[in-house]
Amino acid sequence: MKTLQSFLLLLVSSLGSLALEDLERKAFIFPVESSTAHVVLRPARQQPLTSFTVCLRSYTDLTRAHSLFSYATRKADNELLLFKPNPFQYNLYVGWSVVTFSTADNSVPKPLREHICVSWESATGIAELWLNGVRLPRKGMKKEYTIGPEASIVLGQEQDSFGGGFHINQSFTGEMTDVYMWGRVLSPEDQAALQNGGRPSDPLIDWQSLNHEIKGYVVVKPSQW
């Protein structure tokens, strides 16, 4: 009996913070700068992507560069990356190519609650970024490209290698919630529904049924948004 109990304890500890749960009205809190703290996300299925939409809400007072969503494959660490180099710009990487979306620099930087959605489609190469329900001017890159299926998906850090290569000066500190990913470009009607609490069907990453693993100092708390 003692042997069985010891085995079960070892099994539980080896699983770490692996969980599949409904995180509606909850948030990941990244309380301090770190080169280790992050959350690993596992999609419902892994598949080559010829289009996608990633959405999330963030709340931070960072003014330096930081990663918001990092999707790396063994061939490309910047296979899909949403990166914020400063408070007024957003970089979207697909297959090492990058486009930059800019907002007006017309106020003193302050803690911002942002709902961000980025999308891209291979057929046209068109990339979109929606900020708090408003679409910024569209860009183009990587027409007819396919994003690889075997992915390491990380929140809180930017991957410079598959599942690692983190740097403290690119880490996220603040709060993050409502993280979703779809294998298609959401329509304007879908974007409007998101702003009103809706959830388009068939997400690959689903905040309300999130397969994730917390590593390091990351805390789950009520979102209070």
Side-chain angles (χ1 to χ4, degrees):
M1 180 61 70
K2 286 186 177 180
T3 302
L4 178 59
Q5 289 175 337
S6 298
F7 172 76
L8 290 175
L9 286 172
L10 179 62
L11 178 61
V12 169
S13 64
S14 69
L15 291 175
S17 301
L18 182 64
L20 176 64
E21 61 181 309
D22 182 355
L23 291 178
E24 187 176 14
R25 301 185 185 279
K26 295 181 181 179
F28 290 134
I29 314 298
F30 299 83
V32 298
E33 291 187 333
S34 169
S35 61
T36 57
H38 63 288
V39 179
V40 177
L41 303 182
R42 295 182 173 87
R45 55 192 178 277
Q46 293 205 340
Q47 63 189 54
L49 295 174
T50 55
S51 60
F52 70 81
T53 302
V54 172
C55 295
L56 57 87
R57 298 182 192 272
S58 73
Y59 182 37
T60 182
D61 57 4
L62 285 174
T63 57
R64 63 161 171 78
H66 56 277
S67 174
L68 290 168
F69 184 95
S70 177
Y71 176 118
T73 64
R74 297 192 184 277
K75 292 184 178 180
D77 54 296
N78 287 345
E79 185 77 318
L80 193 175
L81 172 66
L82 177 57
F83 191 81
K84 195 169 181 180
N86 60 61
F88 310 105
Q89 290 185 317
Y90 305 82
N91 290 344
L92 175 62
Y93 292 80
V94 173
W96 283 102
S97 294
V98 60
V99 292
T100 299
F101 299 89
S102 299
T103 60
D105 182 356
N106 58 8
S107 62
V108 176
K110 56 185 180 298
L112 293 175
R113 287 182 171 92
E114 297 182 329
H115 184 248
I116 305 163
C117 287
V118 288
S119 65
W120 167 85
E121 63 179 12
S122 175
T124 63
I126 293 299
E128 299 181 353
L129 187 144
W130 293 72
L131 181 61
N132 297 330
V134 177
R135 181 178 55 77
L136 301 185
R138 287 171 278 195
K139 312 283 184 175
M141 64 173 167
K142 300 299 280 188
K143 184 178 179 182
E144 299 180 351
Y145 182 75
T146 299
I147 294 172
E150 185 184 357
S152 168
I153 305 175
V154 167
L155 303 178
Q157 301 285 345
E158 194 269 315
Q159 301 174 82
D160 281 341
S161 60
F162 187 82
F166 304 147
H167 297 281
I168 192 170
N169 60 357
Q170 295 177 328
S171 65
F172 176 81
T173 62
E175 305 182 20
M176 193 174 294
T177 187
D178 293 343
V179 182
Y180 290 93
M181 181 178 186
W182 292 267
R184 65 185 188 277
V185 175
L186 295 188
S187 68
E189 292 76 18
D190 287 332
Q191 293 288 348
L194 281 171
Q195 295 303 308
N196 294 308
R199 181 183 61 152
S201 63
D202 198 28
L204 297 175
I205 294 174
D206 185 352
W207 190 252
Q208 296 181 36
S209 182
L210 193 68
N211 190 344
H212 68 284
E213 183 177 2
I214 292 174
K215 297 193 174 184
Y217 189 16
V218 183
V219 180
V220 177
K221 298 285 282 184
S223 64
Q224 299 179 350
W225 288 33

